[in-house]
Amino acid sequence: MNEMSKQPWAFLDAWRGKKFTGEWPTLPEMLEITVERFPDRNCLTVFEPDRITLTYRETLAAIKKLAGWFIAHGIKKGTHIAVSGKNSPEWALVYLSVLYAGGIIIPIDYGLHDHEIESLLKTAKPRFFFVDEEKYEHFLKESKSQAFIGDVYSLNSKYPERYVYNLEAEPLATYFPLQETDTAAILFTSGTMGNPKGVMLSHRNIVSDCYIAQSNLSISETDVFYALLPIHHSYTMVAVFIEALSVGAEIVFGKSLVVSRMLRELKEGKITMLLGVPLLFNKLLAGILKGVRSKGVVVYGIIRFLMGVSYIVKKSTGTNIGKVLFKSVLEKANLTTLRIAISGGGPLSKEVFKAYNEFGIDFVQGYGLTETSPIIALNPKEHFKIESVGRYFHPYMEMKILNPDNSGRGEICVKGPMIMQGYYNMPEETAEVLSADGWFRTGDIGWIDDEKYLYLCGRAKNLIVTSGGKNVYPEEIENAFQMYYNDIEQITVRGYHPAHDLTSEEIEALVYPTDELYKTLNLNRGTPAGDSAVYKKIETIVEIVNKDLLPYQRITKTTILDKPLEMTTTKKVKRYTKTE
């Protein structure tokens, strides 16, 4: 297919000049178009524990009512309103109603400590703060003396007098008139290197990225998206929530990563689109393979052979025979309705990527940052490359490698309609990464092949330089351990200075072993015998992995951690966390 010919957003032309006048609709305009197209299709669904669903028509009516309440309570164009909670229709209602009323939505990570949320609220200064049940009473109390928190309201019916669905007002007839260049959201980055920044995204940023990403991935109103990862994060917010709304698909809100609940929602929700991070897919695959191994050595061997056959057939002919071959395996994992799985938020092991495709699940990787709204590369399922994070969206955006070395590796820079407006109230930090002519420096190191597929090496800030002057990216080494998910819960690679030599760095692995490993060895964590035996097992794994690494990448020091390092809600290690 010609690169210019696939424009899934071409249908918007029928509404151009009627519903919107810019190059891209605003988010309220986009939603109204979808409601006109699919008024009676399911929109928002949650299991609590019984199924509760709102159609697109019902969702829009609820949005208009809450937006009317906002206007009646003094909301004007650009007013900040914050929301923090578990994934839920209530969260979605607040998000969309704020935009409908002309405000700016501030989604905040519900997994943060109270004092961290207060710090972000102090920066954002919202007029209202909608928060879930576990933190509601704390913030309601604090708001009496801390004006920057704003008026506190509840996302949960446990507090009916301030519950979002109970806020009565005359519904707005239509949305507040906005330009596509107006700011829609301020998203605070999780800050794996510390110092969170408020990323300002316009309506144009979010809507353009949502539709342009569809040039590499076909979705429709018949899809059912599973919002399992925290929805405040740009990845879930756009790649699940906004993408679904753009085509009239259904969103099932998952509130917990508890396996039993997740499996039930996958089955009863008839999920077709599952987006996750590598840790989620590693654990899901571990469960699948554990079930296969339980059938005995012979059956396991046959299934592994058939997985290989399935992959060869898929890559050579495009025919997916895995769903037929492994129907019983997928049924047990409640994955039979799954059409596509997408991994983002970090690099995924090529072995894991391959295993899902072998089982018949169309599995692709994507890449992006909060600052890029976030998707800027995605593997087309019809022509995926197992080691790439995806093909960037040429010709709808530009990508280049800044100061490439002899192997073509350098900092990834991008330009296009999805690039952020800047960091909120941080002009100097904005100027460091965003040039006057619109080029954004991602801080990631990678290279691009001649078919415009992107390959990641790691973060520039994490770079380790060895005594021989070789560049080592920790992420490349960490990825080599992803298939050892039964033994290693967390591995973080960093540089260290050998004794009496502060001029060079060698490679150290910080490892937090799984409970399952101790259980397999029939020993306890924290005991001399248990920790000694586990250390030996981990050292054996390190030796195996080292053989496949280049000499200068090899681990020379292994440290077993007593407790895991702190992680963000998208399961990335906060590398600045002190371990000693």
Side-chain angles (χ1 to χ4, degrees):
M1 179 178 288
N2 183 286
E3 286 180 300
M4 290 295 291
S5 66
K6 188 174 182 182
Q7 293 189 341
W9 57 91
F11 74 89
L12 289 174
D13 287 339
W15 280 270
R16 199 178 300 275
K18 301 173 185 176
K19 278 290 184 184
F20 70 101
T21 55
E23 180 184 5
W24 298 98
T26 64
L27 284 159
E29 289 166 344
M30 182 194 82
L31 179 64
E32 291 242 344
I33 291 170
T34 299
V35 175
E36 278 194 25
R37 297 174 74 202
F38 309 109
D40 299 316
R41 292 202 69 89
N42 290 345
C43 181
L44 309 178
T45 293
V46 67
F47 293 90
E48 293 196 293
D50 296 327
R51 183 188 183 103
I52 303 170
T53 298
L54 293 178
T55 65
Y56 271 87
R57 192 197 311 273
E58 291 167 339
T59 299
L60 182 58
I63 289 167
K64 286 183 174 181
K65 188 181 86 164
L66 183 57
W69 186 90
F70 283 139
I71 296 295
H73 286 74
I75 296 304
K76 296 179 173 57
K77 179 182 177 182
T79 300
H80 289 186
I81 299 175
V83 60
S84 186
K86 300 182 288 293
N87 295 0
S88 67
E90 290 89 343
W91 190 102
L93 177 62
V94 172
Y95 183 103
L96 295 169
S97 301
V98 168
L99 302 179
Y100 214 86
I104 295 173
I105 188 70
I106 319 284
I108 292 179
D109 184 352
Y110 197 56
L112 294 175
H113 299 297
D114 291 347
H115 69 88
E116 293 173 312
I117 292 177
E118 287 169 16
S119 177
L120 298 183
L121 292 172
K122 191 174 290 186
T123 299
K125 296 180 175 60
R127 173 70 179 82
F128 296 108
F129 179 34
F130 287 80
V131 65
D132 225 327
E133 58 178 314
E134 293 86 356
K135 297 179 184 290
Y136 172 79
E137 291 184 359
H138 168 81
F139 283 102
L140 183 64
K141 179 184 176 183
E142 290 298 309
S143 67
K144 308 301 182 187
S145 58
Q146 305 287 353
F148 62 81
I149 291 174
D151 291 341
V152 174
Y153 287 83
S154 175
L155 294 175
N156 192 281
S157 58
K158 182 179 177 181
Y159 302 97
E161 70 282 358
R162 298 175 83 83
Y163 177 43
V164 60
Y165 275 127
N166 294 341
L167 302 179
E168 298 293 338
E170 184 68 27
L172 278 191
T174 187
Y175 47 81
F176 185 93
L178 293 168
Q179 301 297 313
E180 61 179 297
T181 51
D182 288 330
T183 301
I186 299 175
L187 278 62
F188 287 97
T189 60
S190 55
T192 58
M193 299 300 291
N195 190 27
K197 303 179 183 73
V199 176
M200 297 186 294
L201 299 180
S202 68
H203 289 265
R204 177 176 185 256
N205 290 154
I206 296 170
V207 173
S208 69
D209 192 58
C210 157
Y211 283 117
I212 288 172
Q214 293 173 35
S215 63
N216 280 10
L217 182 70
S218 297
I219 58 175
S220 76
E221 71 277 8
T222 60
D223 277 311
V224 182
F225 284 75
Y226 193 20
L228 183 61
L229 297 175
I231 198 170
H232 77 275
H233 192 275
S234 61
Y235 177 39
T236 310
M237 187 190 82
V238 175
V240 177
F241 180 44
I242 304 300
E243 288 286 359
L245 294 177
S246 76
V247 297
E250 182 179 1
I251 306 156
V252 173
F253 293 92
K255 294 190 175 185
S256 169
L257 286 173
V258 173
V259 175
S260 58
R261 178 163 181 165
M262 188 173 82
L263 291 176
R264 181 196 166 209
E265 289 170 344
L266 280 167
K267 183 178 182 179
E268 295 187 17
K270 295 182 171 59
I271 306 299
T272 66
M273 303 289 294
L274 175 62
L275 285 79
V277 293
L279 183 65
L280 171 67
F281 287 116
N282 289 345
K283 288 191 172 184
L284 193 57
L285 181 61
I288 294 171
L289 292 178
K290 185 177 181 180
V292 172
R293 286 193 186 94
S294 68
K295 298 180 184 297
V297 176
V298 175
V299 174
Y300 177 72
I302 293 171
I303 288 178
R304 291 299 297 192
F305 170 75
L306 291 174
M307 286 170 68
V309 171
S310 170
Y311 186 77
I312 292 169
V313 171
K314 187 174 185 181
K315 281 296 283 182
S316 58
T317 70
T319 304
N320 185 354
I321 64 171
K323 278 212 165 182
V324 177
L325 283 176
F326 306 112
K327 183 180 179 182
S328 63
V329 175
L330 296 176
E331 281 178 345
K332 193 169 183 180
N334 292 341
L335 297 176
T336 51
T337 61
L338 195 63
R339 193 169 70 82
I340 296 173
I342 302 175
S343 180
L348 183 78
S349 161
K350 63 182 181 182
E351 288 82 10
V352 176
F353 190 140
K354 185 178 180 183
Y356 277 99
N357 277 287
E358 288 171 337
F359 276 122
I361 296 172
D362 286 326
F363 195 95
V364 296
Q365 282 198 83
Y367 166 73
L369 302 90
T370 302
E371 291 90 338
T372 60
S373 300
I375 318 164
I376 48 176
L378 196 62
N379 252 309
K381 72 180 181 68
E382 300 83 4
H383 184 42
F384 64 87
K385 296 191 179 184
I386 200 167
E387 294 181 339
S388 169
V389 293
R391 188 174 67 200
Y392 75 85
F393 306 129
H394 176 82
Y396 310 112
M397 59 166 283
E398 298 175 72
M399 182 179 288
K400 65 182 180 181
I401 301 299
L402 191 65
N403 301 323
D405 61 18
N406 293 335
S407 63
R409 296 179 172 196
E411 185 175 3
I412 302 161
C413 296
V414 292
K415 183 179 181 180
M418 65 287 291
I419 305 304
M420 69 168 181
Q421 296 175 305
Y423 295 122
Y424 181 64
N425 286 345
M426 300 177 82
E428 292 180 4
E429 288 81 354
T430 300
E432 287 176 5
V433 297
L434 190 58
S435 68
D437 60 350
W439 282 97
F440 173 68
R441 298 181 60 161
T442 66
D444 286 327
I445 304 299
W447 58 280
I448 305 167
D449 70 15
D450 55 6
E451 291 186 292
K452 298 179 173 58
Y453 282 75
L454 175 65
Y455 300 78
L456 280 187
C457 302
R459 293 290 292 170
K461 289 181 179 180
N462 300 338
L463 180 67
I464 301 167
V465 181
T466 68
S467 57
K470 296 289 188 181
N471 291 343
V472 176
Y473 298 98
E475 294 90 343
E476 290 184 325
I477 301 173
E478 291 162 1
N479 293 346
F481 288 87
Q482 283 192 22
M483 289 301 286
Y484 293 96
Y485 36 67
N486 288 323
D487 302 318
I488 296 174
E489 181 171 319
Q490 186 187 88
I491 181 165
T492 304
V493 170
R494 67 179 184 181
Y496 77 98
H497 295 293
H500 312 301
D501 182 4
L502 298 179
T503 61
S504 65
E505 289 184 289
E506 291 188 15
I507 312 301
E508 178 184 13
L510 306 175
V511 179
Y512 183 72
T514 62
D515 291 337
E516 188 174 340
L517 178 54
Y518 281 92
K519 188 177 178 180
T520 302
L521 296 172
N522 200 26
L523 294 166
N524 295 321
R525 192 189 296 272
T527 63
D531 291 346
S532 176
V534 163
Y535 181 82
K536 288 178 182 177
K537 174 65 176 176
I538 298 298
E539 277 282 79
T540 300
I541 293 172
V542 169
E543 287 175 13
I544 293 170
V545 171
N546 268 346
K547 289 176 183 177
D548 292 328
L549 297 174
L550 295 169
Y552 61 85
Q553 292 179 310
R554 289 172 185 160
I555 295 164
T556 57
K557 179 182 178 183
T558 303
T559 301
I560 303 297
L561 300 175
D562 296 328
K563 58 182 180 179
L565 297 177
E566 187 179 357
M567 303 180 84
T568 69
T569 48
T570 51
K571 305 306 178 186
K572 294 179 184 177
V573 168
K574 294 186 176 182
R575 291 183 184 269
Y576 63 86
T577 303
K578 295 181 180 179
T579 59
E580 296 175 321

